[in-house]
Amino acid sequence: MKELKIIKFRSTLFTLLIGCCFLYQTACTGKKESGKMVFYYNETTGIATLDPAFAKNQSIMWAIHQVYNTLVEIDSNLNIVPSLAKSWEIDAGRTTYTFHLRNDVYFHDSPVFPGGKGRKMVADDVVFSLNRIIDKNTASSGAWIFNKRVDTVHPFTTINDSTFQVKLLRPFHPILGILSMQYCSIIPKEAVLTYGKDFRRNPCGTGPFRFISWDEGEALVLHRNEQYWEKDKEGERLPYLDAIQVSFFDNKATEFLQFRQGKLSFINDIDPSFKDELLTKKGELRKEWQGRLHLNKTAYLNTEYFGILVDEQNPLVKKSPVRLKLVRQAMNYAINRPQLMMYMRNSIGIPAEAGFVPGGLPSRNVELVKGYTYDPGKARQLLKQAGFTDTRTIPAITLLTIPIYADIASFVAKQMEEIGLPVQVEVIQKSLLLEQTAKSQALFFRGSWIADYPDAENYMAMFYSKNPAPPNYTRYKNPVFDQLYEQALLETNDSARYALYRTMDQLVINDAPVIPIWYDMAIHFVQNNVQGFRTNALNLLELRRVKLVGAVSY
């Protein structure tokens, strides 16, 4: 009965919110009286900085992507394509990359330049920007991207104003993907020298939109860069939008109310309380919402999982049944992933019944790596093989999770108990969970891994024993895996490298330091008047080609 009351309360709350929407709804078009096209979106978690050196989460990356460019970028098909670099060459040893820069790119107008006029971007700016990431004085959260990968003496070199080189310690195929990350946005030295630590709120880049104002916690405003270098296929200068305004409502219900009033152009995901009101169990818009808004879904390079600490020297592991591989395999067989996805996620995502690496990557792990399907009988059999003939003697295992995933953790705990494995769910704040997993203080924990760049190596790095936590939160150690990982880094043949990725993934799945639950999907609800809005597998907010046409209608 308690669950029924909660459902009724949520439904009533939702109805009240929708009623408010219709009472106060206006014919919002995303345009001010001046006729300008303004795109509005909200960040419930806020934006901590606009300095690319600290672009460590989605809210920061989305904003930075509007203001800055990188040497290369990733298109909708996950291919590396030119951006500030129009072309590049790789030497025979695959350790030196030479980039040829565009000569028509200018930084935004800013007081840091003489006369306030933005100057041309040159190779020295690239060298400065990338060196700043590895400079210990910067203390960039992205320093790891070049760690043990680039030359320790001259990693970045200016050849001339339009030519730049990266020198690696050894071949590393994903380096182009790394250079597409927002950490590697190109900035002018003058801005950093002028503003110092306050550069975080005074950004200056070469991107499609330029910074206007930021009232932290209230609104961030960006305007169209009239001198932006990129054009569409018809030769029209991008972007089409005149401005972007970001709000910071910290409540997803409030965010949805703003969207229904036409005050937001789109929303990323939705409060779990409202999913059943908008979506069917198959993940489609309910009939009453069709035509009122657009639902955009796409595969997202994010694996949601439960991690298991497997360092047998750790006191937590020594006393726990999860130290045994058979028990960890049983835990994987215990979960009905398709059922979980349908009833807990409204089919937003794909049950993770293959490897740890999600689909969409050229290595094809999802198609060729064998994972776990729901088989409670097999799970019970494995527990007996592990020596637990009487499951009543098994000590309870604590599963740490964050509030937003508490219901999913409870679902998993119940299924574990059905095979005789007692699991207690403990809900803690995200910051504490991150701290405990980094310090190997969490035995069984909820986790997710979002790709930094589109290569399976990014996922396999989580299990390389020489990596700390992060990314090796489970403290997995397998000499065979390590050898294959190091071999893959040196492999220049794509097909051979992909085969190594799949072999490594299969090793991880067999050893079961993780329980993959689902491969994620990006889900966006978009107003009817928004055109050209495209989702991508990295869930990067792309607004260069977005237009607003007509009014929002319901």
Side-chain angles (χ1 to χ4, degrees):
M1 287 299 292
K2 186 176 180 182
E3 289 184 359
L4 180 62
K5 288 179 181 178
I6 291 173
I7 292 171
K8 284 182 177 180
F9 172 75
R10 287 177 173 173
S11 179
T12 303
L13 173 62
F14 185 85
T15 303
L16 286 171
L17 284 172
I18 298 306
C20 290
C21 287
F22 283 107
L23 283 171
Y24 296 103
Q25 185 173 312
T26 59
C28 176
T29 65
K31 297 183 179 182
K32 297 294 184 183
E33 291 180 4
S34 61
K36 299 291 186 182
M37 289 192 294
V38 183
F39 188 94
Y40 298 90
Y41 77 93
N42 183 64
E43 282 292 358
T44 55
T45 60
I47 295 175
T49 179
L50 293 173
D51 183 343
F54 302 93
K56 64 180 181 178
N57 62 39
Q58 181 175 278
S59 66
I60 301 171
M61 289 189 286
W62 277 15
I64 282 174
H65 185 56
Q66 314 313 319
V67 178
Y68 296 94
N69 294 114
T70 48
L71 284 172
V72 295
E73 61 182 17
I74 296 167
D75 69 10
S76 58
N77 296 316
L78 298 181
N79 297 312
I80 304 292
V81 296
S83 184
L84 295 181
K86 59 184 179 181
S87 63
W88 56 89
E89 296 107 29
I90 309 170
D91 74 335
R94 302 187 71 84
T95 57
T96 301
Y97 287 65
T98 303
F99 295 88
H100 303 285
L101 308 179
R102 299 182 65 94
N103 59 11
D104 59 349
V105 178
Y106 290 80
F107 287 110
H108 302 155
D109 291 349
S110 168
V112 304
F113 302 120
K117 188 71 175 175
R119 65 163 173 81
K120 181 185 287 190
M121 180 213 69
V122 294
D124 280 345
D125 296 309
V126 182
V127 171
F128 172 79
S129 301
L130 302 187
N131 270 326
R132 184 169 175 262
I133 298 171
I134 59 178
D135 184 345
K136 291 182 180 179
N137 292 321
T138 305
S140 168
S141 54
W144 64 270
I145 66 177
F146 294 129
N147 186 34
K148 297 180 182 179
R149 291 169 179 166
V150 297
D151 185 77
T152 54
V153 180
H154 298 295
F156 313 116
T157 306
T158 295
I159 305 302
N160 55 51
D161 279 357
S162 61
T163 312
F164 160 80
Q165 277 188 348
V166 175
K167 187 170 179 57
L168 306 179
L169 288 171
R170 60 190 66 84
F172 183 64
H173 176 78
I175 190 64
L176 289 174
I178 282 179
L179 290 172
S180 75
M181 295 172 65
Q182 272 59 59
Y183 282 125
C184 298
S185 300
I186 307 307
I187 63 177
K189 184 176 184 178
E190 295 94 325
V192 177
L193 293 179
T194 300
Y195 294 115
K197 291 184 178 179
D198 208 32
F199 176 59
R200 62 173 287 276
R201 56 172 298 108
N202 290 279
C204 179
T206 62
F209 297 91
R210 57 188 179 88
F211 175 77
I212 295 297
S213 64
W214 181 20
D215 185 0
E216 295 190 44
E218 295 294 329
L220 168 66
V221 178
L222 308 174
H223 282 186
R224 182 177 190 265
N225 175 13
E226 301 291 345
Q227 284 76 46
Y228 187 57
W229 54 271
E230 197 173 4
K231 297 179 181 179
D232 64 16
K233 293 180 180 179
E234 285 70 43
E236 183 178 350
R237 190 178 296 274
L238 298 176
Y240 304 124
L241 295 170
D242 295 294
I244 298 170
Q245 181 167 317
V246 186
S247 55
F248 298 102
F249 298 107
D250 61 3
N251 184 286
K252 291 292 282 186
T254 304
E255 179 184 76
F256 183 72
L257 175 62
Q258 292 286 311
F259 176 74
R260 287 295 293 121
Q261 289 179 313
K263 294 179 180 178
L264 295 176
S265 303
F266 98 112
I267 51 175
N268 177 50
D269 210 344
I270 192 171
D271 188 278
S273 303
F274 299 156
K275 273 194 169 71
D276 287 334
E277 301 290 342
L278 276 84
L279 301 173
T280 67
K281 291 301 181 185
K282 293 183 178 180
E284 305 297 333
L285 273 178
R286 292 190 177 277
K287 286 185 178 179
E288 56 267 35
W289 293 97
Q290 292 175 11
R292 297 183 179 184
L293 52 88
H294 292 294
L295 170 63
N296 286 359
K297 295 189 297 182
T298 189
Y300 179 22
L301 293 181
N302 174 36
T303 298
E304 295 282 340
Y305 69 97
F306 289 103
I308 304 169
L309 191 63
V310 293
D311 177 9
E312 294 186 3
Q313 302 305 310
N314 189 303
L316 285 174
V317 179
K318 285 182 179 180
K319 301 176 182 179
S320 173
V322 302
R323 72 186 185 280
L324 303 172
K325 180 167 73 172
L326 291 173
V327 172
R328 299 194 300 270
Q329 290 175 335
M331 294 166 77
N332 268 280
Y333 280 117
I335 301 170
N336 189 333
R337 294 167 177 82
Q339 186 183 69
L340 184 154
M341 295 307 300
M342 179 174 287
Y343 292 104
M344 309 298 290
R345 293 276 302 168
N346 293 79
S347 301
I348 303 301
I350 301 166
E353 296 183 327
F356 189 78
V357 179
L361 294 172
S363 52
R364 299 178 60 213
N365 289 50
V366 164
E367 292 94 329
L368 299 171
V369 176
K370 180 175 172 54
Y372 298 91
T373 54
Y374 180 54
D375 192 339
K378 177 73 170 177
R380 295 186 188 99
Q381 179 187 347
L382 287 169
L383 287 179
K384 287 182 180 178
Q385 285 180 238
F388 297 104
T389 52
D390 183 358
T391 55
R392 290 174 299 181
T393 63
I394 301 177
I397 303 166
T398 299
L399 171 56
L400 297 179
T401 188
I402 58 176
I404 195 170
Y405 288 100
D407 54 349
I408 291 172
S410 297
F411 179 96
V412 168
K414 186 175 185 300
Q415 295 216 298
M416 296 286 184
E417 289 168 1
E418 288 175 0
I419 66 165
L421 200 62
V423 172
Q424 296 176 345
V425 176
E426 182 178 339
V427 179
I428 60 178
Q429 292 304 309
K430 186 176 181 178
S431 58
L432 180 57
L433 181 58
L434 289 173
E435 179 184 343
Q436 292 195 10
T437 51
K439 293 181 178 179
S440 297
Q441 296 172 346
L443 179 70
F444 187 28
F445 55 91
R446 175 263 166 190
S448 67
W449 191 260
I450 302 171
D452 298 298
Y453 43 88
D455 193 283
E457 180 276 335
N458 193 217
Y459 291 90
M460 294 298 92
M462 289 181 62
F463 306 103
Y464 183 50
S465 69
K466 295 178 183 179
N467 280 341
N472 189 358
Y473 291 110
T474 64
R475 308 311 301 149
Y476 178 71
K477 184 177 183 179
N478 182 327
V480 177
F481 179 95
D482 288 351
Q483 182 181 358
L484 292 169
Y485 180 82
E486 290 166 2
Q487 184 181 343
L489 294 182
L490 298 174
E491 181 56 64
T492 58
N493 179 278
D494 287 346
S495 296
R497 188 173 64 260
Y498 298 155
L500 290 169
Y501 289 156
R502 293 192 295 269
T503 302
M504 285 187 279
D505 202 356
Q506 192 67 67
L507 278 174
V508 169
I509 292 301
N510 294 346
D511 287 341
V514 288
I515 303 173
I517 303 296
W518 74 84
Y519 311 122
D520 211 357
M521 298 182 79
I523 174 172
H524 300 145
F525 296 92
V526 187
Q527 299 288 10
N528 286 329
N529 72 323
V530 177
Q531 291 187 357
F533 187 94
R534 300 287 182 267
T535 53
N536 56 72
L538 292 175
N539 197 22
L540 192 60
L541 183 61
E542 183 53 70
L543 298 178
R544 282 174 290 184
R545 292 173 173 82
V546 166
K547 293 181 180 179
L548 302 178
V549 181
V552 176
S553 59
Y554 297 99

